[in-house]
Amino acid sequence: MSNLFNSASSPAIIEAVEKLGYRVSSADVAIQAGLEVNLAQQQLLALASEAGGHLQVAESGDIAFLFPQNFRAVMRNRYWRLRVYEWWQKVWRILFYLIRISFGIMLLVSIVLIFITIAAILFFGDSNRNGGGGGGGGGSRGRGLIFIPHFWFHPNSFSFLSWDNGNYYRQQQKITKKQKKEKMNFFEVVFSFLFGDGNPNYNLEAQRWQEIATVIRNNQGAVVAEQIAPYLDNLGNAYSQEFEDYMLPVLTRFNGQPEVSPQGQLVYHFPELQTTATKYRPQPVPAYLKENNWKFSNATSNQLMLAAGLGAVNFVGALILGHLLEDGAIAAQMGGLVAFVEIIYPLLFAYGAGFMIVPLIRYFWVQWRNGKIAVRNEYRQSHAIALNQADDTLQQKLKYARKFAAETVISNQDLAYTTETDMLDQEAANADKIDAEWQKRLNQSDGKST
């Protein structure tokens, strides 16, 4: 049962099966999802067992998995945990959206509370001076200037009901930069200004193994180390690179095996990635694994200026309010809203200060992070350039690797066994058995009548 939930709750397995047309091999899924071959086969077996899938075994012993197109619904109807999981995913999207817009709401509420309180204190001070004849210490706090800023808002700034139903971070990867800017409302801009828009490389490891597996499949299951190096981060020291130790995780993940050429050179053969349920067409793959730079925000410059401006107004207002509430006498005299604001003032000040400090820290953190990314991208790109400028030795290795290149397609014509056909054959055999029994009884009854 645990295996079932591991497979059924894995979006990678489900999506891979659907994208590949519901008839797959374990190698097909491993390549599509960037999983280990053994893990992909284990999860496919569990999923086929519980979702009504069928096993198709070729005469060579290779296995293909055939799933009904409604297998998602089958699993959902059979297991309450999957229904709860899908329900929670929908609820979490709503909750997370509410969390995102709450920071913008808090900003506006903070500004309103601060400036209404300041205005009330100044009005109270003026009243004391005019009505109290000379004004005391409390009235003196009302002296000075106060301004109420005029803010300009875009007509779409408060279109907060147009929230995104999809998973936020995944959805952000699927839409263009222009679309991101156009659909972001004011409350989302505030969250983006404070915390950004998620990790642009959230699926980097899956992407890495997908690209490595695709390179192997494009070369029909036989590669050299130099073809894999542009997708790895650290190849080790000179000794490790000479003996190609960095290929060990790749061999382990995809059940590969090294082959030695007559010249003593290593090539790598992956028999299990040479099996496919359908005819394979080479897929485009980047020359090297490229990480995306972090962005401070996907909002427009005008939207960011608006958020920063409101944050500055809020912080300055908090400083002014703190000066007016220093001795606590005014709050004690006025009570009501002023007394309440005095109680929550530490929160208002902390939010105002944090609104200015957090983006500043994050800006420098993004610059530092992008510098690290640039170094890694340049490192991987250098190996891609070296592969494109292959010398005679590397050309010789590539030529030897092509001797192990092959592709095995599990076609319906080559099947030695399939659970789907056997079930149909069994039903036909049962029907024939029933017909034979009835025919026997009819013959017996005819014999008795004669």
Side-chain angles (χ1 to χ4, degrees), residues 307-415:
L310 289 176
V313 168
N314 181 62
F315 183 63
V316 171
L319 292 176
I320 296 173
L321 181 60
H323 177 68
L324 296 176
L325 295 174
E326 267 182 346
D327 56 11
I330 292 182
Q333 294 178 30
M334 297 184 64
L337 175 65
V338 177
F340 171 73
V341 171
E342 184 188 35
I343 295 174
I344 66 170
Y345 177 76
L347 295 177
L348 295 176
F349 180 80
Y351 181 77
F355 198 94
M356 305 304 296
I357 294 173
V358 169
L360 182 63
I361 295 175
R362 194 170 61 82
Y363 173 81
F364 290 106
W365 179 85
V366 166
Q367 304 306 311
W368 172 81
R369 192 70 179 265
N370 286 342
K372 298 288 186 180
I373 290 175
V375 171
R376 290 195 294 269
N377 282 339
E378 185 177 354
Y379 179 78
R380 291 189 289 260
Q381 186 180 28
S382 66
H383 291 287
I385 294 173
L387 177 63
N388 291 332
Q389 300 173 352
D391 55 17
D392 293 339
T393 302
L394 181 53
Q395 292 287 358
Q396 192 176 44
K397 287 177 65 177
L398 291 168
K399 183 178 180 181
Y400 184 72
R402 284 193 285 270
K403 293 182 179 180
F404 298 93
E407 182 181 72
T408 301
V409 180
I410 307 174
S411 64
N412 291 324
Q413 291 74 24
D414 299 329
L415 298 181

Side-chain angles (χ1 to χ4, degrees), residues 98-130:
L98 293 177
I99 293 172
R100 286 167 55 206
I101 67 173
S102 66
F103 289 89
I105 294 174
M106 288 174 59
L107 175 63
L108 296 181
V109 170
S110 176
I111 291 174
V112 170
L113 281 177
I114 287 173
F115 282 95
I116 286 180
T117 305
I118 291 174
I121 292 174
L122 295 178
F123 178 78
F124 178 76
D126 288 341
S127 298
N128 284 346
R129 284 198 307 273
N130 296 332

Side-chain angles (χ1 to χ4, degrees), residues 178-436:
K178 182 178 179 181
Q179 289 173 321
K180 288 177 184 178
K181 294 180 179 179
E182 288 178 348
K183 71 185 304 183
M184 192 176 292
N185 59 56
F186 168 76
F187 298 109
E188 292 172 322
V189 168
V190 171
F191 183 87
S192 178
F193 176 74
L194 286 172
F195 306 111
D197 300 289
N199 184 358
N201 303 300
Y202 72 95
N203 62 340
L204 183 65
E205 283 305 305
Q207 179 185 346
R208 182 197 311 279
W209 292 112
Q210 286 172 359
E211 292 179 0
I212 290 175
T214 303
V215 169
I216 297 172
R217 175 61 71 84
N218 285 349
N219 289 274
Q220 296 186 313
V223 295
V224 299
E226 288 80 358
Q227 291 175 289
I228 304 301
Y231 305 94
L232 301 175
D233 284 334
N234 186 9
L235 305 187
N237 54 34
Y239 177 86
S240 298
Q241 293 188 37
E242 180 181 357
F243 289 93
E244 300 177 356
D245 293 344
Y246 56 87
M247 286 297 297
L248 291 175
V250 183
L251 294 173
T252 302
R253 193 177 190 90
F254 300 120
N255 294 344
Q257 56 194 43
E259 304 287 349
V260 183
S261 71
Q263 293 77 25
Q265 299 167 329
L266 287 174
V267 301
Y268 301 92
H269 180 208
F270 298 84
E272 295 191 27
L273 294 188
Q274 294 176 324
T275 302
T276 178
T278 56
K279 182 67 177 177
Y280 180 79
R281 295 180 180 179
Q283 300 297 315
V285 59
Y288 64 96
L289 178 65
K290 184 176 182 180
E291 294 181 62
N292 297 315
N293 284 333
W294 285 71
K295 290 196 62 177
F296 179 78
S297 171
N298 288 322
T300 63
S301 57
N302 289 337
Q303 289 174 324
L304 292 176
M305 288 177 62
L306 173 62
L310 289 176
V313 168
N314 181 62
F315 183 63
V316 171
L319 292 176
I320 296 173
L321 181 60
H323 177 68
L324 296 176
L325 295 174
E326 267 182 346
D327 56 11
I330 292 182
Q333 294 178 30
M334 297 184 64
L337 175 65
V338 177
F340 171 73
V341 171
E342 184 188 35
I343 295 174
I344 66 170
Y345 177 76
L347 295 177
L348 295 176
F349 180 80
Y351 181 77
F355 198 94
M356 305 304 296
I357 294 173
V358 169
L360 182 63
I361 295 175
R362 194 170 61 82
Y363 173 81
F364 290 106
W365 179 85
V366 166
Q367 304 306 311
W368 172 81
R369 192 70 179 265
N370 286 342
K372 298 288 186 180
I373 290 175
V375 171
R376 290 195 294 269
N377 282 339
E378 185 177 354
Y379 179 78
R380 291 189 289 260
Q381 186 180 28
S382 66
H383 291 287
I385 294 173
L387 177 63
N388 291 332
Q389 300 173 352
D391 55 17
D392 293 339
T393 302
L394 181 53
Q395 292 287 358
Q396 192 176 44
K397 287 177 65 177
L398 291 168
K399 183 178 180 181
Y400 184 72
R402 284 193 285 270
K403 293 182 179 180
F404 298 93
E407 182 181 72
T408 301
V409 180
I410 307 174
S411 64
N412 291 324
Q413 291 74 24
D414 299 329
L415 298 181
Y417 169 81
T418 169
T419 56
E420 184 181 23
T421 302
D422 286 354
M423 290 174 60
L424 296 175
D425 289 346
Q426 185 64 41
E427 291 177 0
N430 291 338
D432 292 341
K433 185 177 180 179
I434 294 173
D435 290 341

Side-chain angles (χ1 to χ4, degrees), residues 139-194:
S140 64
R141 293 210 179 268
R143 296 171 185 171
L145 298 176
I146 181 66
F147 70 95
I148 298 180
H150 173 73
F151 303 117
W152 174 85
F153 295 97
H154 189 275
N156 294 328
S157 294
F158 293 92
S159 58
F160 56 90
L161 295 179
S162 60
W163 55 280
D164 185 4
N165 287 317
N167 180 281
Y168 178 64
Y169 290 132
R170 289 180 180 271
Q171 192 68 20
Q172 289 294 309
Q173 306 297 322
K174 298 179 181 179
I175 57 180
T176 65
K177 184 187 300 184
K178 182 178 179 181
Q179 289 173 321
K180 288 177 184 178
K181 294 180 179 179
E182 288 178 348
K183 71 185 304 183
M184 192 176 292
N185 59 56
F186 168 76
F187 298 109
E188 292 172 322
V189 168
V190 171
F191 183 87
S192 178
F193 176 74
L194 286 172

